[in-house]
Amino acid sequence: TYWKSIFTLPVQPGKKYHMSYADQERYENEERPEVQRQILAEIARKLPVYTRTGNGGIRFCDRCQLIKPDRCHHCSVCAICVLKMDHHCPWVNNCIGFSNYKFFLLFLAYALLYCLYIAATVFKYFIKYWTGELTNGRSKFHVLFLLFVAVMFFVSLMFLFGYHCWLVSRNRSTLEAFSAPVFQNGPDKNGFNLGFVKNLQQVFGEEKKLWLLPIASSQGDGHFFPMRALCEAQNPLLANEEQWEDDGIDEEPHGKEISCVLAYSD
């Protein structure tokens, strides 16, 4: 189950995010960009999407023909939109996203411990080689090669695992670390940061006994994520009504309320 979860294709956005045939035809037949933006805004009004493109438009995937959920991105290698996409990993030949991010972190942790175990068990034979007690030439090569590979992978994995632990503590993906998500009030690299404990719970779940086990326990369904800042309607200092009324976007989208969480701890 663990290997199946990390190697199978990640879950794609639900059907309600896909553009209907009629809307797709209306969108493609329209040549005016401003009208296309209005069409996307009308469709997105019924969906819980709160992040925007750099110019304030609705995030839309031309290849998958769908409104992108928050933190969703299109992978050019897998040719699909991936929920909460982190990166495409060549080591597992798969996209790392919402459905397998916990398994990817455990994969790094397990590999790190395994490399440490190999280095520790081989080190005593390396000492024998160094002191001249190991006389077999073939054994010398095996000991040196195994120790070198184990240490090399341990150092590499230590930096990679440490970086992803930092990302989890800030509730960011690798893509969001390089390019901050854009909300209605502008870019905010800490837009999804709920505080250290809640950030961990989003990835590993609330039951601590399941954190180190390869069992799916991440919170949510990958389509909607709580946000740290006050929503536009509740904080007039962040409101920018004129800009979004021009795009045909209501102050509070229908269908689902914004989950606003106050957690300003860095």
Side-chain angles (χ1 to χ4, degrees):
T1 303
Y2 169 72
W3 293 112
K4 182 179 179 182
S5 299
I6 198 172
F7 285 113
T8 55
L9 284 176
V11 180
Q12 300 181 56
K15 290 184 179 180
K16 67 178 181 178
Y17 290 88
H18 288 259
M19 187 178 286
S20 66
Y21 179 78
D23 289 333
Q24 182 178 341
E25 191 174 41
R26 183 161 62 106
Y27 177 81
E28 292 179 348
N29 291 335
E30 181 56 60
E31 297 180 356
R32 293 169 294 179
E34 63 276 7
V35 179
Q36 286 184 329
R37 283 168 57 108
Q38 291 180 1
I39 293 174
L40 294 178
E42 291 175 6
I43 301 172
R45 199 177 295 172
K46 303 175 183 178
L47 301 172
V49 289
Y50 306 110
T51 53
R52 300 289 184 262
T53 61
N55 61 1
I58 300 297
R59 298 173 64 245
F60 176 71
C61 181
D62 293 323
R63 285 156 288 190
C64 297
Q65 292 294 307
L66 57 81
I67 303 292
K68 293 180 181 178
D70 293 342
R71 314 183 81 176
C72 174
H73 296 275
H74 184 90
C75 176
S76 57
V77 180
C78 297
I80 59 173
C81 281
V82 180
L83 294 175
K84 194 189 175 185
M85 179 178 172
D86 188 88
H87 68 286
H88 184 89
C89 180
W91 292 93
V92 298
N93 191 30
N94 196 14
C95 257
I96 306 302
F98 171 79
S99 62
N100 58 3
Y101 188 56
K102 176 190 174 182
F103 299 103
F104 175 73
L105 291 175
L106 294 180
F107 169 70
L108 294 181
Y110 297 159
L112 192 66
L113 292 175
Y114 185 59
C115 289
L116 182 62
Y117 172 77
I118 292 177
T121 53
V122 172
F123 187 71
K124 65 178 182 179
Y125 296 102
F126 175 76
I127 296 297
K128 289 184 178 181
Y129 161 75
W130 191 263
T131 57
E133 297 180 30
L134 201 63
T135 56
N136 191 317
R138 185 174 298 179
S139 298
K140 291 180 181 180
F141 172 77
H142 290 166
V143 168
L144 288 175
F145 178 77
L146 192 57
L147 183 64
F148 172 76
V149 171
V151 172
M152 181 184 66
F153 273 95
F154 175 80
V155 174
S156 302
L157 288 170
M158 183 176 61
F159 282 106
L160 182 60
F161 182 66
Y163 175 67
H164 278 279
C165 287
W166 178 81
L167 290 177
V168 171
S169 70
R170 293 290 191 268
N171 203 348
R172 299 177 198 167
S173 65
T174 300
L175 294 176
E176 291 168 352
F178 286 96
S179 179
V182 180
F183 298 88
Q184 292 189 7
N185 55 302
D188 185 2
K189 62 182 180 180
N190 291 316
F192 297 105
N193 189 351
L194 308 178
F196 181 74
V197 175
K198 290 187 177 180
N199 292 342
L200 287 179
Q201 289 177 346
Q202 274 209 355
V203 176
F204 295 100
E206 295 183 358
E207 297 188 43
K208 293 183 179 180
K209 61 183 179 181
L210 300 179
W211 283 13
L212 299 180
L213 299 178
I215 299 174
S217 58
S218 300
Q219 293 180 339
D221 60 359
H223 293 85
F224 173 78
F225 300 90
M227 292 167 283
R228 69 184 287 269
L230 285 169
C231 58
E232 307 293 315
Q234 292 180 344
N235 191 347
L237 296 177
L238 298 179
N240 191 3
E241 299 177 12
E242 295 182 0
Q243 175 184 354
W244 302 109
E245 284 179 358
D246 292 341
D247 291 338
I249 302 176
D250 288 346
E251 199 171 337
E252 285 190 42
H254 302 295
K256 188 170 184 179
E257 287 185 321
I258 301 177
S259 175
C260 301
V261 181
L262 285 174
Y264 290 97
S265 60
D266 291 329

